[in-house]
Amino acid sequence: MPQSPDNPVPAVPTMGGSAKPAEPAAAGASAQYRPSGAGRNPTPPAWRKDVILKNGTSLRLRPITSDDGERLRHLHGSLSNRSVYTRFMMLLPKLSPDQVKRFTQLDYDNEMAIVGIVSDEGEPGGERLIAVGRYVRLPKPTRAEVAFTVADAYQGLGISTHLLQELLPFARAADIEVLEAEVLAENQAMLSVFRKMGFQLTASLSEGVVHIEFPVAQTDLSEEKRWAREHQANRAAMERLLCPRAVAVIGASDHAGTIGYTLVRNLLSQEFVGPVYPVNPKHRVVCSVPCYASLEDIPEPVDLAIVAVPAPEVKNVVQQCAKKGVYGLVVISAGFGETGPTGKALEDGLLDLVRRYGMRLVGPNCLGLLNTDSAVRLNATFAPVFPPAGRVALSSQSGALAIAVLNLARELRLGISQFVSVGNKADVSSNDLLHYWGDDPGTDVILLYMESFGNPKKFSRIARRVSRKKPIVVLKSGSSTAGARAASSHTGALSSNAVVAKTLMDQAGIIQTDSMERLFHAAKVVGTQPLPAGGRLAILTNAGGPAILSADRAEAEGLTVPTLSDKLQDRLRRLVVPTASVHNPVDMVAQATVAQYEACLKLLLESPEVDQVAVLFIPPVVTRGEDVAQAILRARAAVVGGKPESKLGKPLVACMMGEVGGGEAFDLLESQGIPTFRFPEDSVTALAQLTRYSEWRRAPRGNRVRFKDSRRDDAQAILRRATANLRLPLHTPAPGDAAHREEPGAWLAPLEAYDVLRAYGIPAAATRLARTAEEAVVEAEALGFPIALKLSSLTITHKSDVQGVQLGLRSGAEVRDAFGRIERALSVLGRRKEMDGVMLQPMAQGGLEMVLGMSHDPQFGPVLMVGLGGIYLELFRDVQFVLQPVTDREIVQMVDKLRSRRILDGYRGEPARDVDALHEMLARLSQMIEENPQIREVDFNPVMLFPKGQGGQVVDVRIRAAPIDAFQEYVIASLEE
């Protein structure tokens, strides 16, 4: 790899071996490759990824292919002598045809190579290869040698770091445990690249060459380093979009009322700090500014291009922008993915072109973006309004709705720092914006209107980190789907897309709202108020009706309205009229004076008995709202020192019900940082959202639990055998089964499923399989009575519906009779052929039936479930979900959220259950799912949870596994996170 500030190259076999130019380091050891590797994956993985470099531009990565020979030759020929020397430790001639063939025709197991490509019409296929990262398995099969090459012009951008990061999942999937590299001792920058990955390095020096080794297993430190790199690059990318130095409007118009005209007018009217260049060959001047016929005619550089031309013309515009060196595009134009398959194909082509040129794209089909910062003053939208400046960042996926959003922000007096309409979000999405706004000093709150997540795993990973610093408030549409996702497991049937989306946001600490107005209400509170210490709410009012509404809403939202202590009541009683109520809500009745508002509020703000306060006011005949507002401000100032921007003290909100449409009281309170509402329920809901966010922030992050006694190799062997040949064809569900459509996969035979559980230390009942009644008698006698006898079938989910569960059998005769009853019941239904035999287990006495499960959501990945099990599962649907990866804290939380949680602690004479054992089973299930991506669905139903200290036991299990190419789904999922 060439020398560079970021990417100096170790002398290892990317294109020619270590110190020996003729052969790669492991080429002579091909016979010692692991036997299963050779030819196992003769075709390259169907994978590509666009990564963000240090300067904010993008680069496309993909596996090397046999078609890259000429491109590889060009890359090698373009390297400077210095780059060749630091790469190979000597100067090399051109690559021979045999070398080119060897470096481009891989088995993608013993060897793996990823290339970075850019668009270049002069190269084969219009692609120029500018970087290669490669590993080659060494004679010891669990080790491989790694190296990188980056073209001189692209060094210093962090490319080799990206290549190494993306090689790691491939190496892990290929059972490679350690990577090695040879680096010149003088090549300190390359050594720094390895150190900065966060892995535990082992280094030794010999004759001026440093030999490096490091394990490929991900660590907490390597995850932190990865996040830091990603965060820095994405921040740089969004900085260039939101703070451009010069803007061009392509498709500008001199006709008032058109989008092309409005875009130019808005940029000029807000006095953008840089030059604005209208571009349209049909006009000489637009909005009194000279108009250019093309981008090429603009004499100065352009950072951002706003594109408002018909969709079919956008491709040509992108090519012109690339030639001009434009960094970012905001494509206002519609006619893309929102119109159907034809438009989607056009959008895909647009994105592909943008990525190949290393640019970033907002849209298409969007309203634009704006930045109210006085140092930028950017209004690159065609919206008719410009919101007031403030500290709330806002993104909307809907372009049409975005105009209403900006109008509502102005109406509700919500100041905006930046706004981005992502439209079809072909490229820039909320994920990118979270990176930037999470560290933006001018932003305190992030608001998102979302119609889809795009990459939910990535969204969750970013949001979890950003939420620790700043609140994220989300309104997500499309949550009204009542039907569950098609699935054959209980977990899949119960986990609708809306449920899973809510679970994701709960885990990420996101404040969720169900209307646009509540989105802004939440923003007002979380953006101005301190985080409460708890959920105890005090309500101060001059009218009983609004107070009752507030108390009811508080209870529904999980807040408490505690009765105040006798001491505090006495102090309040001295301040109000005798007819007032001081229990909480504190109702001062209609005669309440301004002085009483001030004095009572001051007591409540100072009291340790409450965590937050809501002040309600309905104007009587003699008291003005403006005077009450002043009293509220004086009371707060007496407690926190009169600094509205300091977020000191307790959360305080006001409801001025007589101030419909605004007014002086509204303006006064909100200008001093006190959120003010028209209706009491809205104020309480916003406080509850702040409280839940505060609880999430205060809670420890938790740790991912790993059990060293797990036997992944044993589980993998079972799963490979089970999926080698699909034993279950897709089938039409028989009457009585929930209708579903299975994705390709195989249900493990019952005994195989139990063996997978035991490989992960999940306690399961001793189980025997019998094909005939006589075999059942023999197995029952071996296990000991009493016996549970259950139908063994891969197609019948609800065994009890077909009399397939016979319990408490105490003799061979009863076992024989039970076998016959199941046969007859199935025969009546015409389903006798679905009986594979019966399973026999010792009766589990004294257990509470629970359910554990996992379903693989196509968008969100593995979703774990826990709940009340057995026959009550679908009746009560008392279940909770959590998305992988899961921490010990999240496991405890999901169990604690069950409506039946009190039963686990012992209820009405029933014994307390072994909740710790339930937590451990969930943690072991999580590890089993994470380490075995072939597993698509799991049902443990029921799990018998015994009294405290006696553990638990799985007594019925179903596991479905799909054939998986280790270099396809598993690796791609890892890379795309």
Side-chain angles (χ1 to χ4, degrees), residues 4-173:
S4 77
D6 170 67
N7 304 319
V9 183
V12 285
T14 296
M15 295 198 305
S18 55
K20 300 177 181 179
E23 299 291 338
S30 59
Q32 300 180 55
Y33 284 8
R34 62 174 183 172
S36 63
R40 189 177 78 178
N41 295 286
T43 58
W47 169 81
R48 72 180 188 186
K49 183 174 184 179
D50 298 296
V51 297
I52 309 302
L53 305 180
K54 284 183 176 180
N55 65 351
T57 61
S58 65
L59 176 68
R60 173 154 294 171
L61 305 181
R62 61 163 173 78
I64 202 167
T65 72
S66 57
D67 295 332
D68 286 321
E70 195 61 27
R71 300 185 189 98
L72 185 63
R73 192 193 305 275
H74 288 184
L75 170 61
H76 184 269
S78 72
L79 298 176
S80 66
N81 288 340
R82 175 61 179 167
S83 293
V84 172
Y85 174 73
T86 55
R87 165 60 187 86
F88 297 102
M89 301 184 189
M90 63 186 300
L91 296 180
L92 293 175
K94 294 181 178 179
L95 294 178
S96 69
D98 286 344
Q99 288 174 321
V100 170
K101 181 179 180 180
R102 187 168 69 247
F103 299 145
T104 56
Q105 296 183 11
L106 313 182
D107 67 7
Y108 303 103
D109 180 30
N110 288 310
E111 296 177 273
M112 181 65 201
I114 296 175
V115 297
I117 59 171
V118 297
S119 184
D120 189 333
E121 297 302 325
E123 292 283 334
E127 293 182 345
R128 178 155 52 94
L129 195 154
I130 56 97
V132 183
R134 177 192 304 269
Y135 69 69
V136 178
R137 196 186 299 273
L138 293 170
K140 186 174 181 180
T142 58
R143 289 175 172 260
E145 200 168 14
V146 65
F148 312 92
T149 300
V150 177
D152 291 65
Y154 290 86
Q155 294 173 19
L157 299 178
I159 294 176
S160 64
T161 303
H162 278 293
L163 290 170
L164 177 54
Q165 184 68 58
E166 308 306 334
L167 280 171
L168 291 173
F170 289 98
R172 296 184 195 115

Side-chain angles (χ1 to χ4, degrees), residues 10 37 214 217 305 364 440 455 463 469 515 551 615 684 712 737 759 832 854 906:
F214 60 94
D440 177 31
N455 186 336
K469 298 183 291 183
S515 73
V615 180
V684 173
R712 178 177 181 267
D737 269 357
R832 175 61 183 85
M854 184 281 294

Side-chain angles (χ1 to χ4, degrees), residues 236-479:
M238 294 303 100
E239 177 87 25
R240 295 181 66 175
L241 281 174
L242 289 164
C243 304
R245 293 165 297 180
V247 177
V249 179
I250 303 172
S253 173
D254 63 357
H255 301 304
T258 63
I259 290 177
Y261 176 88
T262 305
L263 286 166
V264 177
R265 184 199 63 192
N266 284 353
L267 282 163
L268 297 175
S269 65
Q270 294 304 321
E271 299 180 347
F272 172 60
V273 296
V276 176
Y277 301 112
V279 177
N280 191 326
K282 298 179 181 179
H283 305 304
R284 186 178 62 85
V285 174
V286 173
C287 296
S288 301
V289 175
C291 185
Y292 294 85
S294 70
L295 274 172
E296 291 183 79
D297 296 335
I298 298 174
E300 301 296 330
V302 173
D303 296 320
L304 183 66
I306 316 300
V307 182
V309 302
E313 299 177 21
V314 173
K315 180 179 179 181
N316 291 333
V317 170
V318 171
Q319 292 171 329
Q320 294 169 24
C321 289
K323 186 175 181 180
K324 178 68 177 176
V326 173
Y327 167 74
L329 296 150
V330 178
V331 177
I332 306 293
S333 316
F336 290 91
E338 78 281 1
T339 63
T342 302
K344 184 62 169 62
L346 193 63
E347 183 175 306
D348 291 343
L350 168 63
L351 177 61
D352 184 70
L353 194 61
V354 167
R355 291 281 176 80
R356 286 173 182 268
Y357 284 121
M359 297 186 289
R360 300 305 304 271
L361 164 69
V362 177
N365 184 35
C366 70
L367 180 71
L369 51 82
L370 58 83
N371 187 344
T372 64
D373 186 344
S374 60
V376 182
R377 298 196 300 271
L378 174 71
N379 184 6
T381 75
F382 59 91
V385 298
F386 192 74
R391 304 187 63 80
V392 176
L394 173 61
S395 170
S396 171
Q397 189 170 343
S398 167
L401 191 61
I403 295 176
V405 167
L406 294 177
N407 273 313
L408 191 58
R410 176 176 288 276
E411 178 184 341
L412 295 177
R413 304 171 177 82
L414 190 71
I416 302 297
S417 58
Q418 293 153 4
F419 165 78
V420 180
S421 167
V422 293
N424 294 2
K425 60 175 186 179
D427 178 20
V428 171
S429 70
S430 52
N431 292 347
D432 302 281
L433 297 170
L434 285 177
H435 273 296
Y436 182 75
W437 287 335
D439 282 348
D440 177 31
T443 296
D444 290 337
V445 183
I446 301 168
L447 302 190
L448 305 175
Y449 169 75
M450 306 175 67
E451 295 172 354
S452 63
F453 283 108
N455 186 336
K457 290 183 179 180
K458 188 172 184 180
F459 175 83
S460 175
R461 180 168 56 84
I462 299 170
R464 287 187 191 211
R465 291 177 178 266
V466 174
S467 290
R468 292 287 173 186
K469 298 183 291 183
K470 294 180 183 179
I472 303 171
V473 188
V474 171
L475 170 60
K476 185 182 181 301
S477 62
S479 61

Side-chain angles (χ1 to χ4, degrees), residues 110 185 279 404 460 484 684-685 693 695 777 878:
N110 288 310
V279 177
S460 175
V684 173
T685 296
Y693 174 63
E695 291 170 350
V777 171
D878 182 17

Side-chain angles (χ1 to χ4, degrees), residues 374-686:
S374 60
V376 182
R377 298 196 300 271
L378 174 71
N379 184 6
T381 75
F382 59 91
V385 298
F386 192 74
R391 304 187 63 80
V392 176
L394 173 61
S395 170
S396 171
Q397 189 170 343
S398 167
L401 191 61
I403 295 176
V405 167
L406 294 177
N407 273 313
L408 191 58
R410 176 176 288 276
E411 178 184 341
L412 295 177
R413 304 171 177 82
L414 190 71
I416 302 297
S417 58
Q418 293 153 4
F419 165 78
V420 180
S421 167
V422 293
N424 294 2
K425 60 175 186 179
D427 178 20
V428 171
S429 70
S430 52
N431 292 347
D432 302 281
L433 297 170
L434 285 177
H435 273 296
Y436 182 75
W437 287 335
D439 282 348
D440 177 31
T443 296
D444 290 337
V445 183
I446 301 168
L447 302 190
L448 305 175
Y449 169 75
M450 306 175 67
E451 295 172 354
S452 63
F453 283 108
N455 186 336
K457 290 183 179 180
K458 188 172 184 180
F459 175 83
S460 175
R461 180 168 56 84
I462 299 170
R464 287 187 191 211
R465 291 177 178 266
V466 174
S467 290
R468 292 287 173 186
K469 298 183 291 183
K470 294 180 183 179
I472 303 171
V473 188
V474 171
L475 170 60
K476 185 182 181 301
S477 62
S479 61
S480 61
T481 302
R485 183 175 56 82
S488 52
S489 69
H490 293 102
T491 312
L494 293 170
S495 57
S496 67
N497 185 271
V499 169
V500 178
K502 182 181 184 304
T503 301
L504 180 151
M505 290 191 278
D506 283 342
Q507 287 181 247
I510 290 171
I511 299 169
Q512 302 169 60
T513 63
D514 56 7
S515 73
M516 189 63 69
E517 190 170 35
R518 287 184 176 177
L519 180 79
F520 287 108
H521 286 169
K524 288 203 298 184
V525 173
V526 301
T528 61
Q529 300 306 295
L531 296 179
R536 299 172 301 171
L537 171 65
I539 301 170
L540 179 64
T541 181
N542 67 343
I548 294 172
L549 292 173
S550 298
D552 289 346
R553 178 58 62 87
E555 181 179 347
E557 293 282 358
L559 300 178
T560 60
V561 184
T563 300
L564 304 178
S565 68
D566 292 343
K567 182 178 179 180
L568 182 54
Q569 288 188 45
D570 287 342
R571 296 181 68 187
L572 288 166
R573 194 172 287 113
R574 297 189 194 107
L575 300 172
V576 296
V577 298
T579 55
S581 171
V582 294
H583 296 83
N584 194 19
V586 178
D587 182 3
M588 300 179 293
V589 301
Q591 297 98 308
T593 65
V594 170
Q596 289 170 338
Y597 260 104
E598 180 178 345
C600 291
L601 178 56
K602 182 174 180 293
L603 281 180
L604 293 174
L605 289 174
E606 291 174 337
S607 172
E609 298 180 25
V610 296
D611 304 306
Q612 47 200 292
V613 182
V615 180
L616 316 180
F617 173 73
I618 294 181
V621 177
V622 295
T623 308
R624 298 192 315 152
E626 303 92 281
D627 296 332
V628 172
Q630 291 284 3
I632 293 172
L633 294 174
R634 287 194 298 271
R636 186 187 63 173
V639 176
V640 301
K643 298 179 179 179
E645 73 282 358
S646 65
K647 289 191 178 182
L648 298 175
K650 299 172 182 175
L652 171 63
V653 298
C655 173
M656 311 298 286
M657 295 186 68
E659 299 287 326
V660 176
E664 291 184 22
F666 258 77
D667 293 338
L668 181 60
L669 290 171
E670 298 235 323
S671 68
Q672 297 300 308
I674 296 181
T676 307
F677 300 86
R678 297 175 183 175
F679 303 108
E681 301 96 326
D682 293 334
S683 63
V684 173
T685 296

